[in-house]
Amino acid sequence: MRAVASVCNNTVVVYSSCGPFDTVGWYDHPNVTAILNAGGLGQETGNAITDVLFGRVNPSAKLPYTLAANVSRHDSFPDVTDRYR
């Protein structure tokens, strides 16, 4: 993410995750203008993401979970970051 953001001044990160997602090292990069969790993907995902990014719809909702900047901020999950490096 950091490599892309360093050469693109308007970087939008779209990811699909059903659990914690580690953004450490790039979420605060000045060129990362949006981070979008696409959730469970389906047939109309591309159209839905486009509608959100271009302001056609406002996805204002309350999430039943927290989007933390760091996996270690999720107390209910074990820290497995070293396991996948």
Side-chain angles (χ1 to χ4, degrees):
M1 307 302 176
R2 186 170 274 296
V4 172
S6 66
V7 295
C8 180
N9 65 356
N10 189 18
T11 302
V12 175
V13 178
V14 179
Y15 72 96
S16 175
S17 174
C18 294
F21 184 73
D22 194 357
T23 62
V24 171
W26 58 267
Y27 79 96
D28 57 350
H29 192 286
N31 290 343
V32 174
T33 56
I35 301 173
L36 176 63
N37 180 357
L41 303 178
Q43 181 176 337
E44 291 298 316
T45 300
N47 292 327
I49 290 172
T50 301
D51 288 346
V52 170
L53 293 178
F54 286 92
R56 294 186 194 112
V57 297
N58 181 359
S60 60
K62 295 189 184 332
L63 298 174
Y65 50 86
T66 301
L67 299 175
N70 187 316
V71 173
S72 67
R73 294 183 184 175
H74 291 281
D75 292 336
S76 61
F77 294 99
D79 186 3
V80 295
T81 53
D82 289 334
R83 202 179 300 172
Y84 299 105
R85 288 185 186 185

